[in-house]
Amino acid sequence: MNFGMNQFLGVFFEEAEEHLTSLENLLLTLDLQEPDPEALNGIFRAAHSIKGSSGMFGFEEMTGVTHVLETLLDQIRSGQIRLQVEMIDVFLEARDVLSQLLDNYRAERPPVDVPVAAVSQRLQALIERYSPNNQATPTEQAYGLFDDESPAAADQSEEAYGLFDDEVSQPAVATEQDDKDAAYGFFDTPPQPQGETEPSPTVATQPMAVAKPGPKTTPVGTEAESSSIRVSVERIDSLINQVGELVITQAMLAQLTSALDPGEHERIFQALNQLDHNTRELQEAVMSIRMLPISFIFNRFPRVVRDTANKLGKQVELILRGEHTELDKGVIEKLTDPLTHIVRNSIDHGIETPAERLAAGKPERGTVRMSAYHQGGRIVVEVSDDGKGLSRERILAKAKEKGIAVSDDMPDSEVWPLIFMPGFSTAETVTDLSGRGVGMDVVRRNITSIGGRIDINSAIGLGTHIAIRLPLTLAILDGMIVEVDKVHYVVPLTYIVESLQLKAEHLYSMSGSSSSVISVRNEYLPLLSLHSLLNLATEPPPAVGSIVLILEAEGNTFALQVDELVGQQQVVIKSLEQNFRRIDGITGATIMGDGSVALILDIDALPRLAGQGVANHA
């Protein structure tokens, strides 16, 4: 690495991860009886690309593993060896070893604890066992920068790997198969199977969305174009922060000029309107850069389900829906661990063994479904299973054992959230998957830390359904500014159905309760007061004549009483937990045009707070 190539290490690590993801996804979709030739070619090319790129940087352990791996893969795709079940397991082990090596190289530590020799020997043993000639190709002893020739792929007319090569040049008469089998260079994208064949619902995954390489270098005198570039996340985050500050500055200018006479300062107002329009377009364009398809998370779960089910002796089918739904990269990063824990719990606690399912009149193969979709300006991610469901009795018994105040006649909607209590577990035995009383409380904490909410529902013998509601982005939102007790609050615009001034004929009192409802177009809605929800010291104004917002959250519609409507505004979201502490009913804060701080209301949580009667207000 003493000839100026350190600058390319970051690109290598990213592309190697993409190749490993592609390799794993393709392995999990293979039909053992009739493997798809394109999938086999894609798996081979992924291994071959990693071998070539790692050889450039002198990562000999990675190069050695991928060389033996591609030797076996080449014999499988050429029909010399028939694909076996045990090969898939060893291929996945090799993939895990390569991932461990990558982590070690990135951390600049020697890979002494990575089982390189063991997995290489297992791959070599498969070659020796199933090769028709019973002759194994010896592993190469050293890999030079330009030495990428594989004995098993000698018919491919491979070129040396150049520093800026993104494809291996092919002669004009090259066949289609020659082109497919060509060595992939350092800047190549992960190989993907071609065609429109839809994957099996068992592992219903979509190819990883990655940057496409630009066209080859053109002759002198013509300009080359690139369809994409790689930009560090730090630069994107810095750009988003600057756009956020621009939004705040624009709001300040709008407030400062609000007292001016539009007739006398028409040109100023025209310029401000144009600035508002341009700022909004710039914000939307910049935010779209951080939006990634949720397939970045979903694509790892076929492997998670396969490994967990095999370890527990269960048969589980995974069905994925909505993989192209996009959300902020920051949300995706916080969502990965909670979803992994939920899926493992579904298989461990929910899905029964094949014998238990058959005895219960169910198919022996259980089903876990994962889906993502947009709802009211938020992303909803759902995980459900058709297992045995949660046991009220065991949850209540465990709660009583831990000293939690519960009663046997509690509704299910209050029983299920008990599993999110710290240290709560109903597992009878402790395993490496569950039973230690940690996990679900961390799941909820991670979800709420990004302004999300998690809900659970279950039925005995039918299964469990978990819904996670998340913000589209962690940066900017459109909001309605409301005033309560001379303090400004922000209501996300996506929750607002309408606003109205309450008249006496709208208002009704609940018999035997201090609660009130209002009638809007023959529909009765509960009336909540923001004064009461936030435990403000002052009394709320009389309901009659006050301003109410009709809000819809999670399928529930209710009315929220406020003092005044200030106006609609785009606001920059600042994390309250990072700068202060978590407050029930508040999802974040923002800086207003006059420099003051306004709290952003968590509309999903308001009905729950009303049911509890109190809010934890600062």
Side-chain angles (χ1 to χ4, degrees), residues 332-362:
I332 281 183
E333 291 172 348
K334 293 291 185 70
L335 187 60
T336 302
D337 288 343
L339 278 181
T340 300
H341 193 89
I342 290 172
V343 169
R344 284 178 172 164
N345 262 13
S346 294
I347 301 172
D348 190 10
H349 294 299
I351 301 295
E352 310 93 333
T353 63
E356 291 171 336
R357 292 181 64 85
L358 289 174
K362 296 181 178 181

Side-chain angles (χ1 to χ4, degrees), residues 267-572:
R267 295 181 62 185
I268 291 179
F269 280 91
Q270 287 179 349
L272 287 174
N273 288 336
Q274 187 62 38
L275 175 62
D276 178 69
H277 175 75
N278 293 342
T279 301
R280 182 175 295 271
E281 286 193 341
L282 177 61
Q283 174 258 314
E284 291 176 353
V286 171
M287 291 308 304
S288 67
I289 298 176
R290 279 184 59 97
M291 301 299 284
L292 298 174
I294 202 170
S295 60
F296 273 73
I297 301 177
F298 277 11
N299 281 347
R300 70 180 57 199
F301 283 100
R303 178 72 184 279
V304 171
V305 170
R306 179 186 187 275
D307 291 350
T308 307
N310 287 345
K311 183 175 293 187
L312 296 170
K314 299 179 178 181
Q315 298 180 20
V316 183
E317 176 184 29
L318 175 65
I319 299 177
L320 302 178
R321 295 289 183 268
E323 301 95 321
H324 296 298
T325 305
E326 291 188 337
L327 65 165
D328 188 272
K329 181 181 183 294
V331 179
I332 281 183
E333 291 172 348
K334 293 291 185 70
L335 187 60
T336 302
D337 288 343
L339 278 181
T340 300
H341 193 89
I342 290 172
V343 169
R344 284 178 172 164
N345 262 13
S346 294
I347 301 172
D348 190 10
H349 294 299
I351 301 295
E352 310 93 333
T353 63
E356 291 171 336
R357 292 181 64 85
L358 289 174
K362 296 181 178 181
E364 60 181 355
R365 181 186 294 271
T367 301
V368 173
R369 299 176 184 271
M370 299 181 69
S371 61
Y373 57 90
H374 292 267
Q375 184 186 73
R378 289 200 162 203
I379 293 292
V380 180
V381 181
E382 297 179 333
V383 179
S384 61
D385 64 68
D386 65 347
K388 57 190 173 185
L390 297 177
S391 169
R392 273 183 57 97
E393 291 73 20
R394 292 176 64 184
I395 292 175
L396 289 173
K398 187 66 175 182
K400 292 175 182 178
E401 178 185 321
K402 295 182 69 64
I404 302 174
V406 295
S407 62
D408 293 336
D409 57 353
M410 288 173 60
D412 289 346
S413 59
E414 296 179 16
V415 173
W416 308 142
L418 291 173
I419 69 172
F420 295 113
M421 300 293 290
F424 197 96
S425 175
T426 59
E428 297 177 354
T429 59
V430 174
T431 69
D432 58 347
L433 291 176
S434 62
R436 301 184 185 275
V438 295
M440 292 306 285
D441 60 319
V442 178
V443 167
R444 183 169 66 175
R445 185 161 62 248
N446 286 356
I447 296 300
T448 55
S449 70
I450 53 176
R453 182 178 175 186
I454 182 169
D455 296 306
I456 187 168
N457 194 12
S458 186
I460 290 292
L462 298 179
T464 302
H465 175 270
I466 294 178
I468 301 172
R469 291 172 172 82
L470 301 160
L472 276 174
T473 176
L474 303 178
I476 300 176
L477 63 80
D478 289 315
M480 177 66 72
I481 313 300
V482 301
E483 184 175 293
V484 177
D485 194 23
K486 299 181 180 180
V487 177
H488 288 170
Y489 298 88
V490 181
V491 178
L493 209 60
T494 53
Y495 290 95
I496 300 177
V497 178
E498 63 177 309
S499 61
L500 54 88
Q501 189 170 27
L502 203 59
K503 297 181 180 179
E505 57 267 25
H506 294 150
L507 189 64
Y508 294 86
S509 298
M510 299 286 290
S511 177
S513 172
S514 59
S515 302
S516 300
V517 298
I518 66 171
S519 175
V520 180
R521 289 183 290 276
N522 297 323
E523 182 180 6
Y524 292 93
L525 307 175
L527 177 62
L528 309 181
S529 168
L530 203 53
H531 277 265
S532 302
L533 292 174
L534 300 178
N535 286 335
L536 300 182
T538 59
E539 291 293 325
V544 177
S546 65
I547 302 296
V548 297
L549 294 174
I550 308 300
L551 305 175
E552 185 174 2
E554 301 179 3
N556 299 318
T557 306
F558 61 95
L560 182 67
Q561 179 185 350
V562 299
D563 294 352
E564 286 187 40
L565 295 182
V566 178
Q568 180 180 337
Q569 184 175 320
Q570 193 176 61
V571 299
V572 178

Side-chain angles (χ1 to χ4, degrees), residues 160-206:
Y161 280 82
L163 180 60
F164 297 100
D165 263 318
D166 67 334
E167 285 189 17
V168 176
S169 300
Q170 297 293 330
V173 296
T175 64
E176 180 181 0
Q177 186 62 36
D178 287 336
D179 184 67
K180 290 175 181 175
D181 295 349
Y184 275 65
F186 175 58
F187 293 100
D188 205 12
T189 56
Q192 302 292 346
Q194 300 176 358
E196 301 297 328
T197 303
E198 185 158 342
S200 165
T202 304
V203 287
T205 59
Q206 295 295 331

Side-chain angles (χ1 to χ4, degrees), residues 51 62 77-78 84 133 139 158 204 250 295 452 456 471 566 576:
K51 187 186 94 169
M62 179 173 282
R77 67 177 187 149
S78 64
Q84 307 291 329
N133 299 323
T139 304
E158 296 175 305
Q250 187 271 332
S295 60
I456 187 168
V566 178
L576 203 60

